[in-house]
Amino acid sequence: MITYPFEAPPAPGDATRIAEGVLWLRIPLPMPNLDHVNIYALDEGDSWSVIDTGLDTGACRKAWQAALDGPLAGKPVRRVILTHHHPDHVGLAGWFVSTGAELWTTRTAWLFARMLRL
């Protein structure tokens, strides 16, 4: 049996503190069987690092903007760490980079994501 440490996941635009300096966010996806991607925000003191980004869709951007205005408010995202090349994990990486974030991922993940995008 699977047990979960939290009664409910965070709503889009909200966050759950899972450890000191670590927030859990869920960004909605437009697919029925895979309706979200889990995102983690790491408190870096004067900024945030985020792990994965969600798809580049209006709903994902809206959820991110709510998170940036809400639980992440006051500090910019300065680093985006991508776990792998799937579009639901890398889709908004360019959006964050355009605001000044640094992109961290493996060369293979970046090349494969770039190939998929092209």
Side-chain angles (χ1 to χ4, degrees), residues 43-62:
D43 189 343
E44 302 286 358
D46 62 346
S47 64
W48 293 97
S49 288
V50 296
I51 301 174
D52 294 332
T53 66
L55 288 171
D56 188 0
T57 66
C60 288
R61 284 179 186 243
K62 181 179 177 182

Side-chain angles (χ1 to χ4, degrees), residues 6 10 14-25 38-45 47-51 71-72 75:
F6 302 101
D14 203 358
T16 298
R17 181 181 174 273
I18 60 172
E20 184 66 35
V22 181
L23 299 179
W24 168 35
L25 299 89
N38 290 307
I39 306 289
Y40 299 92
L42 310 176
D43 189 343
E44 302 286 358
S47 64
W48 293 97
S49 288
V50 296
I51 301 174
L72 303 182
K75 295 193 291 188

Side-chain angles (χ1 to χ4, degrees), residues 29-117:
L29 297 176
M31 294 147 326
N33 293 329
L34 181 61
D35 64 354
H36 71 276
V37 62
N38 290 307
I39 306 289
Y40 299 92
L42 310 176
D43 189 343
E44 302 286 358
D46 62 346
S47 64
W48 293 97
S49 288
V50 296
I51 301 174
D52 294 332
T53 66
L55 288 171
D56 188 0
T57 66
C60 288
R61 284 179 186 243
K62 181 179 177 182
W64 265 115
Q65 197 56 60
L68 292 167
D69 293 341
L72 303 182
K75 295 193 291 188
V77 172
R78 291 284 183 232
R79 183 178 307 133
V80 174
I81 303 165
L82 302 179
T83 58
H84 61 285
H85 65 274
H86 289 163
D88 57 322
H89 293 262
V90 306
L92 284 171
W95 184 57
F96 281 103
V97 169
S98 74
T99 67
E102 183 179 8
L103 181 63
W104 284 28
T105 192
T106 66
R107 180 182 204 110
T108 303
W110 185 86
L111 288 169
F112 204 90
R114 185 77 178 130
M115 185 268 310
L116 289 173
R117 177 77 174 154

